[in-house]
Amino acid sequence: APHDRKMPTPAEVKKALVSAGFVVYRTRGDVIHVAERARENLIMDAGIRVRASEPAVILMVRAQRSDFPHEPEDAMFDRARKLARIAVERGYSEVGTQMTPLPDPNDEARTLDSWFEVSYEKRVADLEQAMTEVAFALSIEKAALRA
C-alpha cells in the first residue's frame, strides 16, 4: 500500500532536485521552492514547489494587474487559469487563489502592481515522478501576458 512507503525528507527532495539539474530557491518547512534562472546571475522563484510530506508538485500561475488594468478580479484569476489548462489535463487540481500586492521598493505603503495567482497541485508517487513534474511545470508559461 502507498502509505507503507517512507516519505522523503526535505533534504532528500532538495538533493534530488539538484542532481536532476534544477536550482533550489529556498526551503520552507517541508516545501522546497524551485528557482528559474532569469539571467546568468539572477535566479527567481519559479512558482513551483515540491512538498516532501504527502509528496506533491505545486504550480502557481498568475495574471498581473498592470497588464489588464480594467478587468474585474474574477476575470484576472480566469486569465491565470487558462494557462493551467494543460496542467489540469495532466492531473493537477486547483487548490487556491491569492492576490499578492507588489510594494514599491522605495515606498512600502505604495503598491506598484498586484499578482492574481492560482495554485495547482499534483500528488506524486515518488521523487522520480516529482522531478518529471518539475520539468513539466518549468516548461509551461506561468504568467498571462497582455494581448
Side-chain angles (χ1 to χ4, degrees):
H3 48 252
D4 296 340
R5 294 256 269 300
K6 192 169 97 31
M7 296 293 181
T9 65
E12 287 167 335
V13 171
K14 205 168 165 176
K15 194 177 161 197
L17 283 163
V18 171
S19 53
F22 301 116
V23 180
V24 171
Y25 187 73
R26 66 165 164 238
T27 303
R28 282 195 169 162
D30 74 329
V31 178
I32 293 80
H33 296 223
V34 178
E36 59 190 341
R37 216 171 265 294
R39 293 196 292 278
E40 200 42 55
N41 56 349
L42 177 69
I43 64 163
M44 292 169 64
D45 189 335
I48 298 162
R49 325 255 183 269
V50 181
R51 191 177 61 221
S53 64
E54 295 183 86
V57 172
I58 299 153
L59 158 68
M60 293 168 90
V61 290
R62 65 172 190 257
Q64 197 159 322
R65 168 54 76 203
S66 57
D67 287 327
F68 310 101
H70 307 297
E71 297 211 352
E73 287 194 12
D74 53 354
M76 295 294 289
F77 287 121
D78 284 342
R79 281 191 181 274
R81 285 186 182 103
K82 281 187 184 129
L83 298 169
R85 279 186 192 147
I86 185 173
V88 170
E89 285 164 12
R90 201 181 159 98
Y92 285 75
S93 358
E94 184 176 325
V95 290
T97 59
Q98 67 183 39
M99 198 183 97
T100 304
L102 305 179
D104 184 335
N106 304 315
D107 176 7
E108 287 294 316
R110 199 168 151 252
T111 299
L112 291 182
D113 209 341
S114 301
W115 284 349
F116 291 78
E117 298 173 310
V118 186
S119 312
Y120 291 83
E121 177 178 308
K122 182 179 181 178
R123 292 289 180 90
V124 291
D126 51 32
L127 284 175
E128 193 180 349
Q129 194 191 354
M131 297 309 108
T132 303
E133 292 307 323
V134 168
F136 160 76
L138 277 167
S139 76
I140 70 168
E141 187 57 65
K142 287 172 289 296
L145 299 171
R146 185 186 291 142

